[in-house]
Amino acid sequence: MAISKHFTSKKLSALLIFMFAANGSLFDAQAEQTSVMPLHYVADKAISSNPEVQQAWHAFKASMYGIDAARSGYLPTVDVSASTGYEKRNYGIESDYSRNTAELSLGQMLYDGFRTSNTVKRFESIQLIRYFELLDQAEKTALAASIAYLDVQKFTELVELAENNLKEHESVYQQIEQSVGAGVARAADLEQISGRLSLAQSNVMTEYANLHDVSARYLRIIGELPVQGTVKAQLSDDAIPISINQALDIAYKNSPNFYASLYNIEAQKANADSQKSAFQPNVDLSARYGFQDRDELGLNESRSEARIGIDVRYNLYNGGLDSANLDQAYQEVNVAKYQRDQTCVDIRQNLQVAYNNVQVLQNKIPSLAKHKESSSKVKYAYKDQFDIGQRTLLDVLDAENESFQSNRAYTAALYDRQSAILSMLAEMGKLLETLNVKSDKFPLLSELTDDPIALNADSICPKFDVAATIGRQAFLQKKKQQDNAYMTVTAMPNYLTIPVTPPANTFVDDDNDGIANETDECPSTPAFTEVDEKGCTKYRSNTSSVEIGIPFLADSSVVRPEYMQEIARLADFLKQHPNKNVEIQGHASLEGSVQYNRKLSEKRAFSVAEILIQQYGISPNRVSSLGYGVDQPRINEISVRANAANRRIEAVITESGSQSTAMQSGWS
């Protein structure tokens, strides 16, 4: 099915196309209106006027006419020819006369080796390529516009910081100048503050130059100058996937660039099939009727002639042209496949970088905030101490500069993280949806084709977590040693940190489940959990809630191999009871950032749910995951024992159909 070509450019004012039904909204309606409203405006404004988007739009419209041209092969051809003229000769009865002829002919293709049908398929695929290229360009333009907006706001704030820093230096300069004039301070101090004052002035000019450049970029992309005092944009962390693998899954299912590469393969396959028609006969129905007022001898005798019949043409040899065309078409299919592979690895790299930038900046921001706060306190303390002669001028100037640089780094990090989130969403094909840029009048994918491509992203684009293979975890080793103190208490086996060899004939049961360590296949079963003879959780048909004993390492959501047995037992229970669903719930201790603990509990719950689905074959619609963070502590305090009790994974089991919508949407 192809869409009608009668579109107007007014329908391009906004370009969000929901290519597939979303599993859940990234933002609720109220959050969208308050947090992404300015980004919605600049993205919509840029898309409606950006030349590259307009170019992609008209390329899409042109592809519609290509389908019409290909379909003309199914329809008959009707031709009429007529002539009139004066003729003169030196033979025959009449030496000069006027002659008139006319002919009407009709042709209808009956069989052409499926050339026409495959050509139509090719142009339908080309239309879908142009469609996804249009969406991809819209995503890129929205990204560029949004980042330009954030950059203008960022450098506006940095200009303000630089100007405040300059005012501080001017104030100190005036104080030193008065002191030198009074003979209290040394002339060298005045030279020193003069140099620092010049540097502060240079910083202001640098920030103004940066603001000028990003404003010029804003004007180029959006088509208007930025307005001062605009609303700050704030993207919700709900837009961030729980893991890089989930982000890659979303990208392969939604990326317009990736789907354009897939339909390019289909177009080249259809072209190869159309080239095969050269090895088939062509069968056409033909009919014609002709009239002339003189015969071949020039005699004034009217004649008419009519014919209808079937014409068959079969080429036997044309110098190898058809074979060469077919071989070339097959190679074009291979080219398209490698282009798809290149698109795959580009998405994987760009998304890995953007996702990691979001995480790294999130981890840096608390440290930068602390540095900013400490630098500000030091600055004011040094000023007070300088006034009473306990600090040198150099100390004061260094503290002032460090405070300025810490404020600048913190402000830049906040905006850079927003830009990284936007880049991540664009790579996933979710930016326009997040910014709520859409138009119901613009065609949906279902209007263009009745048979969209169903892909297996795992086989086409393997997923790799780069961050898990580099040395970032080593950097967190010290933090891990501190955070893992809870593993030494109830339900946490001692040998996680120090291997212990029990004395002979001594019964050792680290998790207190009544099963000795040497025969315990589930070495971290929580206390008071009913276990079987192997030390693993015992499930009954009426089991409704079970805590799964999985001690995670600090800042990690990876389930280690020695704790997979508990997940396997849960999977066996679900397979034996196909009418049961499960929600994996993650909980965290009260220690640390509330937001960080919520995200970490989500990641850990998601990891367990992902194992149930991918490794043990439990249907995704039976498994959901949700991170509660610090919302449901067992012990409402911060201590080693409370932390151990509150850091947990629970499996809540329900009958099919009894889960709430919110639960079912947890797996997305």
Side-chain angles (χ1 to χ4, degrees):
M1 180 177 74
I3 190 168
S4 169
K5 56 181 173 290
H6 300 294
F7 280 92
T8 64
S9 60
K10 292 181 180 179
K11 295 180 182 177
L12 192 59
S13 60
L15 291 177
L16 174 63
I17 309 302
F18 291 106
M19 296 177 292
F20 305 94
N23 290 329
S25 175
L26 293 174
F27 298 97
D28 58 42
Q30 185 65 28
E32 287 183 58
Q33 293 176 3
T34 58
S35 64
V36 301
M37 179 180 63
L39 299 183
H40 164 85
Y41 170 77
V42 295
D44 182 75
K45 178 76 174 177
I47 287 171
S48 63
S49 59
N50 184 271
E52 292 179 306
V53 176
Q54 295 294 331
Q55 177 183 339
W57 163 252
H58 287 287
F60 170 62
K61 290 186 67 176
S63 67
M64 301 176 188
Y65 294 100
I67 296 176
D68 291 343
R71 285 178 175 165
S72 66
Y74 290 121
L75 302 176
T77 59
V78 181
D79 297 292
V80 61
S81 62
S83 67
T84 182
Y86 174 76
E87 297 184 21
K88 184 171 182 169
R89 61 186 181 178
N90 62 357
Y91 65 91
I93 299 175
E94 296 187 41
S95 60
D96 58 336
Y97 57 90
S98 294
R99 184 176 183 179
N100 302 295
T101 64
E103 183 178 66
L104 177 67
S105 61
L106 170 70
Q108 172 63 58
M109 182 273 294
L110 299 179
Y111 178 74
D112 64 352
F114 304 105
R115 177 184 293 275
T116 299
S117 60
N118 286 308
T119 302
V120 170
K121 289 180 182 178
R122 174 170 170 258
F123 278 95
E124 287 177 343
S125 295
I126 290 175
Q127 182 193 44
L128 292 169
I129 293 171
R130 300 294 174 260
Y131 171 75
F132 285 110
E133 287 176 346
L134 172 61
L135 292 183
D136 183 60
Q137 187 58 56
E139 290 271 351
K140 291 178 179 177
T141 302
L143 174 63
S146 301
I147 290 180
Y149 183 91
L150 292 176
D151 283 347
V152 168
Q153 289 199 326
K154 177 174 73 173
F155 284 105
T156 298
E157 289 193 26
L158 294 183
V159 165
E160 184 179 352
L161 287 175
E163 289 178 335
N164 291 336
N165 181 57
L166 177 59
K167 290 178 181 178
E168 294 286 349
H169 279 76
E170 289 174 340
S171 175
V172 175
Y173 178 85
Q174 293 173 358
Q175 180 182 357
I176 298 300
E177 187 179 37
Q178 293 173 358
S179 299
V180 170
V184 178
R186 295 168 296 181
D189 289 341
L190 187 60
E191 289 295 332
Q192 192 173 58
I193 184 59
S194 296
R196 293 299 184 95
L197 181 61
S198 298
L199 179 60
Q201 292 170 341
S202 176
N203 289 337
V204 173
M205 290 186 287
T206 298
E207 300 300 358
Y208 267 117
N210 292 333
L211 179 59
H212 171 275
D213 292 347
V214 297
S215 297
R217 177 157 54 89
Y218 184 99
L219 174 62
R220 176 182 65 83
I221 297 171
I222 300 164
E224 63 183 21
L225 287 172
V227 179
Q228 293 184 352
T230 52
V231 180
K232 283 190 177 182
Q234 184 66 37
L235 292 170
S236 169
D237 281 356
D238 291 340
I240 304 173
I242 293 175
S243 68
I244 184 59
N245 285 339
Q246 186 190 29
L248 288 169
D249 281 336
I250 295 172
Y252 296 143
K253 293 176 182 177
N254 294 277
S255 170
N257 194 24
F258 185 53
Y259 273 91
S261 70
L262 296 180
Y263 279 105
N264 186 36
I265 296 175
E266 298 303 310
Q268 297 304 329
K269 286 180 178 179
N271 180 51
D273 289 337
S274 69
Q275 295 298 330
K276 294 178 183 178
S277 64
F279 299 93
Q280 300 289 328
N282 290 327
V283 181
D284 299 299
L285 172 67
S286 65
R288 70 174 184 269
Y289 175 81
F291 168 82
Q292 61 183 15
D293 60 358
R294 288 181 180 269
D295 61 13
E296 291 80 1
L297 298 177
L299 296 177
N300 189 6
E301 181 180 348
S302 297
R303 291 185 177 186
S304 62
E305 182 181 88
R307 178 188 181 276
I308 184 170
I310 295 178
D311 301 325
V312 178
R313 183 178 62 83
Y314 187 66
N315 174 256
L316 298 178
Y317 180 71
N318 67 347
L321 175 63
D322 297 333
S323 297
N325 287 339
L326 182 59
D327 290 338
Q328 181 184 23
Y330 283 140
Q331 292 305 317
E332 293 294 337
V333 174
N334 291 331
V335 170
K337 289 181 178 179
Y338 283 108
Q339 288 174 341
R340 172 206 61 195
D341 295 343
Q342 184 61 50
T343 302
C344 162
V345 297
D346 287 345
I347 291 174
R348 189 171 62 201
Q349 172 191 313
N350 295 338
L351 186 54
Q352 289 267 9
V353 171
Y355 187 87
N356 188 63
N357 285 342
V358 173
Q359 302 300 322
V360 169
L361 287 166
Q362 176 60 29
N363 292 331
K364 285 175 61 176
I365 285 173
S367 299
L368 292 173
K370 186 175 181 181
H371 181 214
K372 178 175 75 76
E373 181 182 0
S374 299
S375 298
S376 179
K377 291 179 180 178
V378 169
K379 180 183 74 172
Y380 291 113
Y382 276 22
K383 279 186 177 181
D384 293 340
Q385 293 170 5
F386 174 74
D387 291 338
I388 60 176
Q390 293 183 349
R391 288 288 175 183
T392 66
L393 176 62
L394 182 60
D395 291 336
V396 174
L397 296 179
D398 286 343
E400 181 68 43
N401 185 61
E402 183 174 359
S403 177
F404 166 67
Q405 294 296 340
S406 64
N407 272 274
R408 190 184 190 284
Y410 175 73
T411 301
L414 291 177
Y415 282 101
D416 290 345
R417 184 170 182 270
Q418 297 293 302
S419 297
I421 293 175
L422 291 170
S423 298
M424 177 194 68
L425 292 171
E427 288 296 332
M428 294 191 301
K430 285 288 189 178
L431 180 58
L432 293 177
E433 178 181 336
T434 302
L435 301 183
N436 197 29
V437 179
K438 59 184 176 180
S439 172
D440 295 334
K441 296 181 180 180
F442 203 73
L444 300 173
L445 181 63
S446 59
E447 297 178 71
L448 300 177
T449 178
D450 293 325
D451 187 25
I453 289 179
L455 61 99
N456 183 347
D458 288 331
S459 62
I460 294 176
C461 290
K463 300 186 292 290
F464 299 96
D465 186 356
V466 176
T469 64
I470 59 180
R472 183 171 68 92
Q473 296 299 330
F475 176 77
L476 299 173
Q477 184 67 28
K478 184 176 180 179
K479 182 175 183 297
K480 181 192 70 173
Q481 293 174 353
Q482 298 171 348
D483 291 348
N484 282 346
Y486 69 91
M487 289 187 177
T488 60
V489 299
T490 303
M492 301 299 169
N494 294 329
Y495 60 79
L496 281 175
T497 53
I498 303 176
V500 177
T501 303
N505 300 323
T506 300
F507 181 82
V508 179
D509 178 17
D510 287 326
D511 57 0
N512 298 317
D513 61 359
I515 306 299
N517 285 351
E518 61 267 20
T519 59
D520 196 338
E521 294 185 5
C522 299
S524 188
T525 310
F528 310 111
T529 299
E530 184 179 5
V531 300
D532 58 17
E533 66 279 1
K534 296 182 179 180
C536 296
T537 301
K538 182 181 291 186
Y539 289 87
R540 301 184 183 277
S541 59
N542 61 347
T543 299
S544 61
S545 180
V546 173
E547 182 177 347
I548 303 176
I550 304 177
F552 290 94
L553 294 177
D555 193 35
S556 174
S557 58
V558 177
V559 178
R560 288 174 288 173
E562 56 265 38
Y563 305 111
M564 293 289 288
Q565 186 62 240
E566 279 282 30
I567 303 178
R569 291 301 179 94
L570 175 58
D572 290 341
F573 173 78
L574 293 173
K575 290 177 181 178
Q576 294 170 5
H577 299 83
N579 62 325
K580 302 281 189 181
N581 294 337
V582 64
E583 179 183 81
I584 305 300
Q585 299 181 353
H587 301 271
S589 67
L590 302 180
E591 187 176 34
S593 165
V594 173
Q595 181 181 9
Y596 174 83
N597 282 334
R598 182 179 65 82
K599 294 296 291 185
L600 185 59
S601 68
E602 287 178 356
K603 290 181 180 179
R604 289 173 172 173
F606 180 83
S607 295
V608 176
E610 196 174 39
I611 291 171
L612 283 171
I613 293 171
Q614 295 188 358
Q615 296 191 28
Y616 294 107
I618 305 301
S619 175
N621 59 11
R622 299 179 60 198
V623 182
S624 61
S625 65
L626 194 62
Y628 286 92
V630 300
D631 293 343
Q632 298 181 7
R634 283 183 171 171
I635 304 176
N636 195 19
E637 64 181 52
I638 298 177
S639 64
V640 174
R641 185 168 297 276
N643 291 347
N646 292 333
R647 290 173 175 137
R648 66 194 189 278
I649 293 290
E650 294 183 359
V652 177
I653 299 169
T654 59
E655 298 290 335
S656 296
S658 63
Q659 282 184 305
S660 67
T661 303
M663 289 183 177
Q664 294 177 359
S665 65
W667 179 269
S668 59

